[in-house]
Amino acid sequence: MSILSRRNLLRGQWRGHDAIRPPWSVEEVLFTDGCSRCHACVGACETGVITVSGNQGFPELDFQRAECTFCKRCVEVCPEPIFHSTESQPWQRYAVINQTCLTYQGVACRSCQDACEPYAIKFKLRLGGIAQPELERESCTGCGGCVRSCPVQAITTRESDKDNDGKE
């Protein structure tokens, strides 16, 4: 969520674009104030999930391209103090499966489960119906592997809301 300030207004950051910054990034305002846009993190990313998009030129993650493996290379190559320690959790991000999921339309699909390395997505069998996905949030790393694998783009990721933690 973008904070509306004079600086963000002049930077064009009032449009509501919720960029996903690399793991361990500081808060959005501190990130955009401190990032020199050298793009060293883009070149260092082992999967290519970090890209530069929009007219601002700041690095962000595109889970339609790849997933994050939390390799820490982005943090290691960055010359600016815009990352928290990699000893901490990378973020509080998790997957969200919406109602356009093929299984909710009566089509058997488990591509997200197959792509989920931490096995946070499981399919619960239903009597007389197709198994539907269930996300174990405590197991989900927010890596985005399931996002790219979904054939109908029914999966996104969301930052955990500390005021609404666990409640949708």
Side-chain angles (χ1 to χ4, degrees):
M1 193 179 307
S2 184
I3 297 172
L4 186 58
S5 68
R6 187 178 329 183
R7 177 177 284 163
N8 286 344
L9 179 66
L10 294 173
R11 287 182 174 171
Q13 294 175 340
W14 52 271
R15 292 183 182 97
H17 174 69
D18 290 331
I20 302 170
R21 300 297 177 208
W24 296 286
S25 293
V26 295
E27 294 72 29
E28 180 69 11
V29 172
L30 297 174
F31 185 90
T32 55
D33 281 348
C35 178
S36 65
R37 295 178 257 194
C38 69
H39 304 143
C41 58
V42 176
C45 182
E46 72 178 12
T47 63
V49 70
I50 302 177
T51 65
V52 177
S53 65
N55 59 2
Q56 299 299 316
F58 291 107
E60 60 184 73
L61 276 66
D62 180 356
F63 290 136
Q64 290 298 327
R65 292 174 48 115
E67 67 184 271
C68 181
T69 60
F70 306 105
C71 67
K72 304 177 187 176
R73 292 179 185 174
C74 54
V75 178
E76 293 165 356
V77 301
C78 184
E80 307 299 337
I82 58 171
F83 290 99
H84 295 292
S85 167
T86 57
E87 298 298 316
S88 65
Q89 291 289 341
W91 52 34
Q92 296 296 314
R93 185 162 288 284
Y94 62 95
V96 176
I97 304 168
N98 69 42
Q99 292 301 310
T100 60
C101 173
L102 289 174
T103 63
Y104 298 136
Q105 314 310 314
V107 178
C109 177
R110 293 189 182 202
S111 61
C112 58
Q113 179 183 18
D114 296 340
C116 184
E117 192 173 312
Y119 305 109
I121 300 174
K122 302 200 182 329
F123 279 75
K124 185 174 182 177
L125 295 175
R126 293 184 26 211
L127 186 61
I130 293 176
Q132 294 183 342
E134 289 187 356
L135 178 74
E136 292 178 3
R137 271 187 56 183
E138 56 279 349
S139 300
C140 182
T141 62
C143 70
C146 57
V147 174
R148 184 173 185 210
S149 72
C150 181
V152 293
Q153 299 179 340
I155 305 175
T156 58
T157 63
R158 174 184 299 165
E159 188 72 24
S160 178
D161 181 0
K162 292 169 186 62
D163 296 331
N164 190 26
D165 201 26
K167 299 176 189 90
E168 297 288 325

